[in-house]
Amino acid sequence: MQISANKLLFISTPVGALGTGIGGGVELTLFNITKEMTRRGYKVEVIAPQGSVMQPFIVKEISGELQIPGQTQTRTSPITMPKNSVLANMWEYARQVQAEYDLIVNFAYDWLPFYLTPFFQIPIAHLISMASYTDAMDRIIEQVATKFPGTIGVHTQTQAATFQLEQECTCLLNGLDLSIYQFCVQPSHNLAWVGRITPEKGLEDAVAAAKIAGIPLKIFGVIQDETYWQNICQDYPTETIKYMGFLSTFELQKELSKCLGLLVTSRVVEAFGNVAIEALACGVPLIAYRRGGLTEIVQEGKTGFLVEPDSVPGLVDAISRLNEIDRYACRQQAEATYSLEAMGDRVEKWFKGILNR
Ligand code: HBI
């Protein structure tokens, strides 16, 4: 029978309000999936922490204390919940309104939504935004993957492998509204780095490599760890570092598209690499540590270079080879694989698989 799967309830990450950048890549992912499923005729409602803004979409704001970021936890960290948890409050609201929807989609990398899955009357799809960080999360994800086959979505196989989930999950990659990203034929003499400014993103390596290469580095993103940022600024002269702030997508792509290349220096296994496909969409070649989801995005020698992890000399060598990359090949990869249309097909197929089960 045809299920009219046209009512979706998206529940956001509890680590920060949408629009602040604290939610990292999941903010862009949530926005793009909302945009594409709305375009395809689905009714999408979004629940997110107080203060969230996601123009032009309406967000149901829920108050409460933000959740501790998962990447700050250790493998054996117990699950913690603040007394007035925004995560718990968002899911209590969802429990009350669930009858109005066909499917709930969880965007939080947290234990509670997975634990609550069997208690809900409608199906819940879980889009996992990070690789494995803690034993407690691994366990509850694997339990849901077993009990509710087909409901776990990931961005890459590399990410799935960190949970030993290669078989039981749907690989969505990610997608962007490519019409926002403008291609620039004649780049200026700058490199780019984009991301939350915090130790796990390895910004200091990108600055070190840019200094050795003698090319200024434009840095885009929210300063999440002030001390970390101050230490970098003190260690490097101003002519190497140009902090551009946390920009809107439109402003970011305008600056990013003019850069020679994007350096991706993450210390941890990234589930995907939203900033990497944004760069490709602008025709900007990638230089990334051979780690995590980036290994499934960079086409070696064609759209960028994969570098030995944590090797600054490796970054410097790749920077010297950027002129080997055809910038248009970068844009073409984005058009072939990371368009909103292509992502929408993958996501809609995932949703239908759950609803028709
Ligand atoms: N931590 N506890 C928790 N919950 C999340 O949803 C979460 C997080 N850390 C980072 C994060 N989400 C997003 O930045 C991901 O896109 C990486």
Side-chain angles (χ1 to χ4, degrees):
M1 85 194 155
Q2 175 56 35
I3 297 175
S4 63
N6 57 1
K7 297 188 286 296
L8 308 173
L9 182 61
F10 288 3
I11 308 182
S12 183
T13 171
V15 291
L18 291 171
T20 62
I22 299 298
V26 82
E27 288 193 31
L28 189 63
T29 304
L30 174 58
F31 174 74
N32 284 326
I33 295 177
T34 301
K35 183 171 186 171
E36 180 59 10
M37 299 319 280
T38 302
R39 189 185 69 81
R40 291 175 183 232
Y42 289 76
K43 175 184 159 234
V44 179
E45 295 286 309
V46 177
I47 302 177
Q50 194 76 43
S52 289
V53 176
M54 198 171 83
Q55 292 297 346
F57 303 106
I58 298 165
V59 175
K60 170 67 184 170
E61 296 175 61
I62 301 288
S63 62
E65 290 173 61
L66 297 178
Q67 196 70 17
I68 299 171
Q71 62 270 42
T72 63
Q73 308 292 283
T74 65
R75 292 245 46 108
T76 55
S77 293
I79 299 301
T80 61
M81 291 290 285
K83 68 183 179 308
N84 175 31
S85 158
V86 69
L87 176 64
N89 296 343
M90 287 195 291
W91 281 85
E92 167 52 21
Y93 175 80
R95 184 188 64 79
Q96 292 170 18
V97 301
Q98 61 180 306
E100 298 164 32
Y101 299 91
D102 300 293
L103 179 69
I104 291 175
V105 185
N106 168 43
F107 288 81
Y109 188 90
D110 289 280
W111 183 85
L112 185 67
F114 291 90
Y115 180 73
L116 289 176
T117 301
F119 295 97
F120 272 71
Q121 280 71 48
I122 64 168
I124 301 177
H126 296 279
L127 176 47
I128 301 183
S129 64
M130 295 200 287
S132 165
Y133 266 98
T134 65
D135 297 343
M137 276 298 284
D138 287 10
R139 170 70 61 82
I140 198 80
I141 289 171
E142 280 154 22
Q143 284 173 331
V144 169
T146 307
K147 241 185 278 179
F148 302 95
T151 63
I152 303 291
V154 293
H155 290 295
T156 58
Q157 283 303 339
T158 312
Q159 175 200 3
T162 65
F163 297 102
Q164 290 95 39
L165 277 182
E166 290 93 320
Q167 285 71 31
E168 306 105 294
C169 61
T170 301
C171 205
L172 299 167
L173 304 178
N174 217 334
L176 302 167
D177 179 350
L178 296 176
S179 68
I180 299 176
Y181 298 82
Q182 302 308 310
F183 182 80
C184 166
V185 181
Q186 200 48 47
S188 60
H189 195 64
N190 289 290
L191 291 164
W193 188 94
V194 184
R196 288 178 293 111
I197 297 175
T198 183
E200 86 241 21
K201 296 289 186 181
L203 173 56
E204 68 275 19
D205 286 8
V207 177
K211 172 136 182 35
I212 296 166
I215 305 174
L217 180 69
K218 285 190 173 180
I219 298 165
F220 306 85
V222 65
I223 298 175
Q224 193 164 13
D225 183 324
E226 190 61 46
T227 312
Y228 171 69
W229 172 241
Q230 287 309 327
N231 291 339
I232 289 174
C233 292
Q234 276 151 21
D235 292 349
Y236 290 95
T238 48
E239 80 268 6
T240 303
I241 292 179
K242 292 181 181 177
Y243 179 55
M244 308 297 284
F246 174 63
L247 306 180
S248 68
T249 298
F250 180 74
E251 292 304 319
L252 169 66
Q253 63 81 30
K254 218 159 61 174
E255 289 296 331
L256 182 55
S257 63
K258 293 185 286 189
C259 293
L260 292 168
L262 174 75
L263 303 182
V264 186
T265 53
S266 185
R267 296 269 187 253
V268 297
V269 171
E270 296 285 353
F272 188 67
N274 278 346
V275 298
I277 63 170
E278 291 189 286
L280 290 176
C282 296
V284 175
L286 303 174
I287 293 175
Y289 285 150
R290 186 176 290 101
R291 197 181 256 147
L294 279 299
T295 59
E296 295 184 33
I297 295 173
V298 180
Q299 293 175 350
E300 185 71 37
K302 190 168 177 293
T303 58
F305 302 103
L306 289 168
V307 167
E308 185 208 337
D310 309 320
S311 163
V312 169
L315 294 174
V316 175
D317 175 58
I319 290 168
S320 71
R321 298 178 57 201
L322 278 173
N323 54 14
E324 294 172 26
I325 301 294
D326 171 6
R327 293 172 74 88
Y328 195 62
C330 298
R331 172 71 191 196
Q332 281 173 318
Q333 182 184 355
E335 287 173 355
T337 312
Y338 306 122
S339 68
L340 218 41
E341 185 79 20
M343 176 65 172
D345 289 346
R346 296 189 287 264
V347 168
E348 188 168 32
K349 184 164 178 274
W350 179 41
F351 288 172
K352 283 183 172 169
I354 298 170
L355 288 159
N356 297 339
R357 193 176 282 277

